[in-house]
Amino acid sequence: MAAASFTAAKFLAPVAARSGGEKAPPLPAGASSSSFARAMRRGGAHHPRLRTALAVSSDVLAGNKAQAAAANPAVTREEALELYEDMVLGRVFEDMCAQMYYRGKMFGFVHLYNGQEAVSTGFIKYLNQADCVVSTYRDHVHALSKGVPARSVMAELFGKATGCCRGQGGSMHMFSAPHNLLGGFAFIGEGIPVATGAAFAAKYRHEVLKQSGPDGLDVTVAFFGDGTCNNGQFFECLNMAQLWKLPIIFVVENNLWAIGMSHLRATSDPEIFKKGPAFGMPGVHVDGMDVLKVREVAKEAIDRARRGEGPTLVECETYRFRGHSLADPDELRKPGKDYFPVSFYFFASLVKFLVLTRLSGEMENGIKASLAKFAVVWYSVVPIELVNETLLSDFSFLSSLHSSYLICQHSDRYDEKSHYAARDPITALKKYIIEENLGTESELKSIEKKIEDVVEEAVEFADASPHPPRSQLLENVFADPKGFGIGPDGKYRCEDPKFTQGTAQV
Amino acid sequence: MLGAARRQLGSGPMLGQVLRRLRPAAVAEATRGYSAAAKEMTVRDALNSALDEEMSADPSVFLMGEEVGEYQGAYKISKGLLDKYGPDRVLDTPITEAGFTGIGVGAAYQGLRPIVEFMTFNFSMQAIDHIINSAAKSNYMSAGQISVPIVFRGPNGAAAGVGAQHSQCYAAWYAHVPGLKVLTPYSAEDARGLLKAAIRDPDPVIFLENELLYGESFPVSAEVLDSSFCLPIGKAKIEREGKDVTITAFSKMVGYALQAAEILSKEGISAEVINLRSIRPLDRAAINASVRKTNRLVTVEEGFPQHGVGAEICMSVVEESFEYLDAPVERIAGADVPMPYAANLERMAVPQVSSFSSILYFLLALAHIV
């Protein structure tokens, strides 16, 4: 499919319509005319770039085809409840932030994570203490998933001295050294090189300093959004991470919007996961509203990195239920986007009916092949929920009309927000847990109650905490307490005899 | 008024000799005599030895930058280091300043001690977001949890005929930011001592070298050659004692100031030359003590005049030693234009030795000393 006709509906297309698995990925339309592209296709199977898999929507990475047969990845009861609790914590906490903001307890820029919990929980709950997480300004839930106590995060948001950064960072700059949460960066793309550096340090510690953990390399996960994927630093780091085979996972939280700029308006090729193989690393697309699928992909990517096989680019299709920040009026994500005019569907289904009924039984094979192609195009523009309805329209004019009416109705009211609200990760996991008998309704309710208590307590704690003392203003500018190279004992730091070990030959 | 006086006296015969233009080679001759040590070392060798010793002493120190490895350094500062320490510790990076600077910062967050080399500090503008937002501010934003023991080094300021985009001085830009330390070595002793101190320092340090000084030789004492030699950050050095006027300078301009002081001494004016060594933190105590002694101050820098280092020094003196000033503080800086290419225009855009002595002479004339 040519990039020019790409729409968000493509994300909703059935999995079968897209490439995946061992097959070489389709080259973009623009490349098809060059001889280089033809050479690639001929010798494609042996070219290292094309060997790298592109996986799609919960298909696991190529090579593990057998696992793709499972309808859902296996998860134990404890894991499922842990994931549920973590996502509920993220959701309740962010809702409380909104309340507190409108009451004036929180101020400045606050960016909430509602709707994206599956990505944070899916990845971070699989990490160890020693693994690092680097995030953007939308970092509250990453901090919570990594283990920073809710009361520390809430106090930091209130600007109190008991916050995780003693009130000096704020909403956008969450740091926690014990939890290896390395920020919290306001500039988009800024966290990616820092994360790459943390991964570099993990590899350096292993190879040069000969200090390694029992599991393998310490892994770094960098979270960033779709807008960041057009930024230069992103590409610079994809290059260097793969060049030096660093243990990092680049997680794109593609929520389709960068403040008010739609991803499709800002990006020449909106399929971000394809940018991984361009640099020689696997690029994976996963449904970011399903925590179990995210976790499955996370396991694969994290284990790869630990073994030293290098980076992975994971694109999570997700959505933020609230605006970009609490100050964002969120006017551009209005419901009711028409992708095609109403008349298109009517005439298309009429043509389809006419062609099918006139040609049935005549010149079947060749024409049925062309009809199959037509059907692929047709189904790619029809929202997935209506595919079943339109199947019946093949042989009856009336049902053709009916299905086109349904589609028109639906396209009139195609509402991105309610579409994704129906795919709320927390409701989905709840449903899964109950259906698979991993937990009862009352257990889940008690988890929710517990989390509400935790968040209430966090607010009370933050409220009761003191503001930072005035003396804190000038502290911590330098790690070096006096800023003159003078150590805590009052002598010049550089005269410390500890630094003079070594056998340098000048 | 001063400007008019300057132009008048500038045409006088007495100043013909001080308006003589000196060739760069002569700078070394003028400065050679002031120390009594036997051994000489170029700034390049001083930096190389400092890097070598620090990398040997601490395995978490590593060097990254463009051409630092196989090319032996764009200006040969890192010569021999790749062979000695291997590609794991001396990394040739792709041409991605923003990316590799951020990688250095991230590695420093995790306790390593990177040295990031910029081929010139002009290229650091591509990475300035990381220098300031990820490195300088992190210790503060994280309330002391995450310190960044990183050194950013490379040549700064004008070289010879390299044009506008390769000739800017960044001392004032970086010295503006709390959370950074900015060092500007002049001699081989400065280069060795300050680089070693910078690498050992737990905070981000901007180490501004100068391309034209790399090949200059300076006398070094045995103490300087010792592997534990370090200079304190934030302390200036009085290169030449004097009693009539204080001249503050950094980097290449120290050599020029010393030449000017030599010329003035023949006229009977004794100038005190302060080698700042550290722009942030600025050694305000030394500058003020000197001004209280001499009562006159001239600041010298190669960079653009507006909001420059000289402006800060002047304000510091006004704040602390106003009553001691007998004349307004004079500032000598580069021309307020992007650096031109033509050789004669370039000479005019950067301070020359003659301009110092002529200005000093005018000031002293106005104060009726001469």
Side-chain angles (χ1 to χ4, degrees):
Chain A
M1 282 159 254
S5 68
F6 182 84
T7 63
K10 199 169 173 186
F11 278 119
L12 311 174
V15 171
R18 304 175 72 184
S19 73
E22 303 109 356
K23 235 172 47 191
L27 292 166
S32 57
S33 53
S34 74
S35 58
F36 173 72
R38 283 198 294 278
M40 292 262 276
R41 273 197 288 266
R42 266 202 306 277
H46 305 292
H47 193 278
R49 275 178 26 185
L50 293 179
R51 267 209 303 275
T52 313
L54 289 183
V56 170
S57 269
S58 80
D59 282 358
V60 276
L61 296 172
N64 295 340
K65 250 323 194 193
Q67 286 184 38
N72 267 305
V75 63
T76 68
R77 183 190 131 81
E78 288 74 31
E79 283 170 3
L81 293 178
E82 187 194 4
L83 296 177
Y84 187 76
E85 183 172 336
D86 194 56
M87 290 205 289
V88 170
L89 174 62
R91 180 67 60 87
V92 173
F93 189 93
E94 296 291 73
D95 284 338
M96 185 60 80
C97 283
Q99 259 196 62
M100 292 297 117
Y101 189 86
Y102 294 126
R103 284 193 208 172
K105 303 268 177 91
M106 247 179 247
F107 35 89
F109 287 133
V110 179
H111 307 83
L112 298 181
Y113 200 74
N114 296 49
Q116 300 182 194
E117 295 87 0
V119 180
S120 173
T121 301
F123 272 93
I124 299 179
K125 281 302 169 196
Y126 193 68
L127 296 175
N128 300 333
Q129 177 92 345
D131 296 322
C132 299
V133 165
V134 179
S135 179
T136 57
Y137 43 76
R138 206 180 295 281
D139 57 353
H140 307 166
V141 178
H142 295 135
L144 294 170
S145 293
K146 196 65 174 59
V148 183
R151 40 163 47 189
S152 293
V153 180
M154 191 62 84
E156 182 64 28
L157 292 169
F158 281 32
K160 299 294 178 81
T162 49
C164 57
C165 297
R166 296 168 73 199
Q168 298 195 191
S171 166
M172 297 189 284
H173 305 295
M174 296 278 167
F175 290 86
S176 173
H179 298 100
N180 281 307
L181 174 70
L182 303 180
F185 290 95
F187 284 37
I188 62 147
E190 198 177 3
I192 303 175
V194 173
T196 314
F200 178 88
K203 187 152 191 257
Y204 189 93
R205 276 199 300 273
H206 177 76
E207 296 196 346
V208 177
L209 302 179
K210 310 290 184 213
Q211 303 161 2
S212 354
D215 297 329
L217 293 171
D218 292 329
V219 160
T220 304
V221 182
F223 293 96
F224 47 95
D226 43 285
T228 310
C229 296
N230 296 325
N231 189 275
Q233 291 178 87
F234 169 62
F235 298 109
E236 293 183 15
C237 290
L238 287 183
N239 178 43
M240 285 190 276
Q242 179 62 21
L243 183 65
W244 295 331
K245 284 228 167 344
L246 300 180
I248 182 170
I249 297 120
F250 297 103
V251 179
V252 184
E253 295 169 324
N254 184 354
N255 56 21
L256 297 177
W257 293 89
I259 308 187
M261 187 64 165
S262 151
H263 177 56
L264 307 170
R265 282 181 66 213
T267 315
S268 54
D269 185 354
E271 293 185 306
I272 300 170
F273 65 95
K274 276 161 57 176
K275 298 180 189 188
F279 289 89
M281 71 177 82
V284 185
H285 175 270
V286 69
D287 176 4
M289 304 305 272
D290 183 335
V291 67
L292 298 174
K293 289 181 184 160
V294 172
R295 188 178 163 85
E296 197 61 23
V297 169
K299 276 189 188 173
E300 178 72 34
I302 290 169
D303 290 340
R304 264 192 84 234
R306 267 201 221 295
R307 289 191 299 263
E309 289 171 25
T312 313
L313 175 66
V314 180
E315 179 186 356
C316 301
E317 180 209 336
T318 182
Y319 202 74
R320 53 170 163 83
F321 294 157
R322 290 183 182 264
H324 166 73
S325 72
L326 287 173
D328 175 19
D330 198 18
E331 282 164 356
L332 289 175
R333 299 193 306 168
K334 275 200 285 272
K337 282 181 75 66
D338 270 10
Y339 288 97
F340 287 92
V342 162
S343 47
F344 168 83
Y345 291 105
F346 172 76
F347 285 112
S349 78
L350 180 61
V351 165
K352 187 155 86 87
F353 164 73
L354 289 171
V355 165
L356 280 170
T357 52
R358 291 294 170 273
L359 292 179
S360 60
E362 292 171 353
M363 297 180 286
E364 279 186 17
N365 290 335
I367 291 167
K368 278 201 174 150
S370 345
L371 286 175
K373 277 193 210 158
F374 179 92
V376 166
V377 173
W378 172 259
Y379 290 129
S380 76
V381 301
V382 167
I384 191 164
E385 293 80 359
L386 293 177
V387 166
N388 288 336
E389 276 92 306
T390 60
L391 280 173
L392 293 173
S393 70
D394 281 356
F395 299 105
S396 149
F397 178 68
L398 283 177
S399 56
S400 278
L401 282 181
H402 179 66
S403 69
S404 54
Y405 168 72
L406 279 175
I407 291 161
C408 295
Q409 272 210 318
H410 187 85
S411 81
D412 264 345
R413 286 183 284 139
Y414 176 70
D415 183 345
E416 208 177 58
K417 286 185 187 174
S418 49
H419 170 82
Y420 282 99
R423 292 165 62 185
D424 187 330
I426 293 176
T427 354
L429 184 65
K430 186 170 191 172
K431 188 157 161 264
Y432 178 80
I433 287 174
I434 290 172
E435 278 173 7
E436 300 291 314
N437 289 317
L438 294 170
T440 61
E441 183 88 35
S442 64
E443 268 176 339
L444 297 179
K445 279 242 169 335
S446 70
I447 289 177
E448 286 161 24
K449 178 81 183 54
K450 174 178 146 203
I451 293 297
E452 274 163 25
D453 289 340
V454 163
V455 173
E456 281 281 340
E457 193 267 327
V459 171
E460 281 159 19
F461 172 77
D463 247 339
S465 297
H467 286 286
R470 292 164 67 97
S471 58
Q472 200 180 298
L473 179 66
L474 299 176
E475 284 175 20
N476 293 129
V477 178
F478 287 132
D480 180 6
K482 296 206 176 160
F484 273 75
I486 294 172
D489 57 358
K491 292 170 64 200
Y492 284 119
R493 211 175 256 275
C494 58
E495 290 168 5
D496 184 345
K498 203 167 45 152
F499 287 109
T500 64
Q501 291 150 18
T503 53
Q505 260 78 61
V506 178
Chain B
M1 181 201 77
L2 268 173
R6 206 174 297 151
R7 278 194 295 278
Q8 267 183 359
L9 285 163
S11 59
M14 185 149 265
L15 289 159
Q17 43 183 323
V18 301
L19 287 171
R20 191 176 66 231
R21 308 245 147 176
L22 293 178
R23 291 187 315 280
V27 173
E29 289 166 30
T31 54
R32 198 163 289 170
Y34 72 94
S35 169
K39 188 161 190 294
E40 294 232 325
M41 194 182 215
T42 59
V43 171
R44 179 178 285 118
D45 287 338
L47 293 167
N48 184 274
S49 63
L51 287 171
D52 191 0
E53 285 163 23
E54 292 305 307
M55 287 180 75
S56 166
D58 184 350
S60 64
V61 176
F62 67 96
L63 176 65
M64 65 196 288
E66 294 155 10
E67 309 295 359
V68 296
E70 292 190 6
Y71 197 77
Q72 310 297 322
Y75 297 99
K76 309 299 180 211
I77 306 298
S78 52
K79 188 171 168 140
L81 295 181
L82 176 66
D83 288 333
K84 196 163 174 195
Y85 297 104
D88 284 336
R89 294 184 68 193
V90 179
L91 287 115
D92 280 322
T93 60
I95 309 172
T96 47
E97 272 78 10
F100 70 70
T101 304
I103 287 180
V105 172
Y109 275 25
Q110 288 291 88
L112 299 184
R113 301 186 93 91
I115 303 167
V116 174
E117 175 171 315
F118 292 115
M119 202 180 277
T120 76
F121 258 91
N122 300 277
F123 306 155
S124 73
M125 290 199 286
Q126 302 219 321
I128 201 166
D129 172 39
H130 281 292
I131 296 173
I132 293 178
N133 279 324
S134 316
K137 297 181 182 172
S138 290
N139 200 61
Y140 192 80
M141 287 197 294
S142 68
Q145 293 179 76
I146 292 178
S147 81
V148 191
I150 192 169
V151 176
F152 302 103
R153 48 160 293 271
N156 177 55
V162 291
Q165 293 186 352
H166 282 76
S167 305
Q168 191 167 334
C169 175
Y170 290 86
W173 281 38
Y174 290 121
H176 187 68
V177 180
L180 289 178
K181 295 179 184 171
V182 180
L183 302 178
T184 49
Y186 161 64
S187 61
E189 176 188 335
D190 289 353
R192 250 182 82 77
L194 290 176
L195 186 55
K196 283 157 100 51
I199 294 169
R200 297 175 189 185
D201 196 274
D203 290 306
V205 179
I206 305 280
F207 195 80
L208 302 172
E209 303 158 2
N210 189 291
E211 194 205 326
L212 297 176
L213 285 177
Y214 283 152
E216 296 250 341
S217 284
F218 293 88
V220 284
S221 64
E223 189 206 352
V224 172
L225 294 172
D226 184 58
S227 69
S228 61
F229 173 71
C230 248
L231 286 173
I233 293 176
K235 293 288 167 209
K237 179 182 179 191
I238 314 283
E239 294 280 354
R240 182 191 173 109
E241 298 256 348
K243 54 179 181 41
D244 292 326
V245 61
T246 300
I247 308 176
T248 64
F250 61 92
S251 191
K252 195 167 78 192
M253 294 292 121
V254 176
Y256 285 31
L258 287 169
Q259 272 189 283
E262 192 62 39
I263 293 164
L264 286 168
S265 71
K266 295 191 182 80
E267 307 289 332
I269 301 165
S270 123
E272 178 149 299
V273 176
I274 300 183
N275 173 3
L276 290 171
R277 282 181 169 173
S278 168
I279 309 295
R280 185 185 255 270
L282 200 54
D283 194 350
R284 298 169 202 275
I287 297 167
N288 279 284
S290 175
V291 169
R292 289 176 187 210
K293 187 172 76 169
T294 63
N295 307 120
R296 284 170 198 85
L297 175 62
V298 175
T299 69
V300 183
E301 62 193 296
E302 198 181 33
F304 304 133
Q306 187 168 339
H307 306 301
V309 176
E312 175 62 28
I313 293 174
C314 171
M315 197 59 214
S316 171
V317 165
V318 162
E319 282 169 353
E320 293 179 33
S321 315
F322 184 64
E323 312 78 40
Y324 293 84
L325 284 171
D326 286 347
V329 176
E330 189 64 38
R331 148 173 78 177
I332 295 175
D336 201 15
V337 296
M339 184 67 69
Y341 169 67
N344 63 329
L345 294 179
E346 190 182 27
R347 272 197 297 277
M348 286 165 56
V350 179
Q352 298 297 324
V353 177
S354 51
S355 46
F356 303 5
S357 23
S358 52
I359 288 170
L360 288 162
Y361 193 81
F362 311 145
L363 283 176
L364 298 165
L366 286 165
H368 303 294
I369 287 193
V370 179

